[in-house]
Amino acid sequence: MRNEPAVRRAKLGAELRRLRGRAGLTSGKAAELVGWHQSKISRIETGTSAAKAADVARLLDAYGVTEPGLRTLLETLATAPREGREDRWWSEYRELLPAAYRDFISLEAEATTVRTLETSVVPGLLQTRRYALAVTRAAVAGAAPREVESLVEVRIARQAVLRAARPPHLHAVLDEAVLRRRVGGPGVMAEQLRHLGRMGALAHVRVQILPFSAGEHVGLTGPFVIFSYSRSSDLDVVVVDHLMSSLHLERKEDLRAYETAFASLQASALSHEESLSFIAALGAGAKEAP
């Protein structure tokens, strides 16, 4: 496991390769200028090795890059995440978690704003343990009980980001189906609805329900998450989940499309206050069970 998500390493490497080409340098000549082996240049450009901010600055000097904004962005891409927010807690699960999930956790841990659309289940950051257990059992059918429990532990540990001194702003739009689906049975669902209401009351959490009465909407194609970062909008990324993998979208046109889609979903959904009332009403009618 590396300190930075692979998506950022790849983005940094591609830009450094472009700037080297703009400077008219081969990888061998670039390595000679900075006193490195050519293989180090190659590993950084392909994203297989992490680069320190100081390494990036050294390369930019060699390539004659003087634009302050560009230098800041690339050095930010190489900067390790905030102290105490990196892989210390999840490193013990490195053999269990796919690389895409490790990247997702890294992106989530560093984001200042998280916008998510969910059409089937409660977002991981807002799940109770029993709800997470039921979802995980269904998602990894056939897995050993210990593996399932470890995945749930990771899910719950991720939620610490919402209790941090400077938590991200979480904006969640949930299809009404998320609330109606009895994941884990009536008791688990009743508990989950109460928890969702409590979390939605936090100042940095905004929940909106997209009711069935809204009809068709842009989110029918599936869930997605937009991670945004205060240091630069050029670091923003959209994550779209598929059954066996995740797709990371970073092009500005892709980001704009998903941001527009999310704004449309928010406009079609109940307000935050109406949504909390809706959740409370469902929770009050949910049957308690052990």
Side-chain angles (χ1 to χ4, degrees), residues 14-268:
E15 186 62 14
L16 289 174
R17 184 168 59 250
R18 182 187 72 81
L19 292 171
R20 176 175 59 78
R22 188 179 76 174
L25 299 173
T26 64
S27 59
K29 183 61 178 178
E32 182 181 328
L33 288 174
V34 296
W36 297 344
H37 193 279
Q38 184 177 353
S39 62
K40 181 173 180 177
I41 298 286
S42 177
R43 290 195 302 271
I44 290 175
E45 290 186 352
T46 57
T48 55
S49 287
K52 298 179 181 178
D55 292 339
V56 172
R58 194 169 177 178
L59 288 173
L60 296 179
D61 288 341
Y63 300 162
V65 177
T66 58
E67 302 97 316
L70 180 57
R71 290 184 67 100
T72 298
L73 171 61
L74 296 182
E75 289 173 19
T76 297
L77 283 172
T79 300
R82 291 175 230 157
E83 188 68 23
R85 294 279 292 277
E86 212 356 75
D87 63 349
R88 290 178 178 84
W89 65 265
W90 71 76
S91 60
E92 62 184 285
Y93 301 104
R94 68 181 65 197
E95 299 301 324
L96 176 66
L97 303 179
Y101 193 17
R102 299 200 302 266
D103 280 352
F104 185 91
I105 295 173
S106 295
L107 292 166
E108 181 180 74
E110 278 303 295
T112 50
T113 301
V114 179
R115 286 168 285 180
T116 180
L117 165 71
E118 279 293 351
T119 57
S120 299
V121 296
V122 172
L125 290 179
L126 302 176
Q127 292 179 6
T128 65
R129 178 176 290 276
R130 292 204 296 166
Y131 184 97
L133 182 60
V135 169
T136 304
R137 282 174 175 161
V140 290
R146 180 54 193 159
E147 180 180 353
V148 171
E149 183 59 34
S150 294
L151 289 170
V152 172
E153 288 175 9
V154 171
R155 178 75 52 85
I156 299 304
R158 280 172 46 203
Q159 298 173 1
V161 72
L162 293 179
R163 300 188 298 272
R166 291 182 297 162
H169 292 280
L170 173 62
H171 301 262
V173 174
L174 311 182
D175 192 278
E176 184 177 341
V178 172
L179 308 183
R180 299 286 185 184
R181 180 169 290 105
R182 289 192 172 184
V183 173
V188 171
M189 203 62 210
E191 177 187 53
Q192 177 62 70
L193 289 170
R194 290 196 304 272
H195 179 71
L196 186 58
R198 287 193 298 269
M199 295 301 293
L202 298 177
H204 54 285
V205 177
R206 182 178 179 84
V207 177
Q208 288 184 260
I209 304 304
L210 196 59
F212 291 147
S213 59
E216 67 278 4
H217 54 78
V218 67
L220 291 174
T221 55
F224 60 87
V225 183
I226 305 173
F227 293 119
S228 297
Y229 305 87
S230 59
R231 288 172 292 186
S232 172
S233 62
D234 287 324
L235 301 181
D236 293 0
V237 60
V238 176
V239 180
V240 181
D241 278 333
H242 299 288
L243 182 61
M244 299 301 293
S245 64
S246 294
L247 177 64
H248 293 75
L249 305 174
E250 299 176 274
R251 296 189 311 166
K252 289 187 180 296
E253 51 267 43
D254 292 329
L255 286 166
R256 281 195 297 268
Y258 276 89
E259 287 173 341
T260 298
F262 194 79
S264 173
L265 291 165
Q266 286 184 300
S268 299

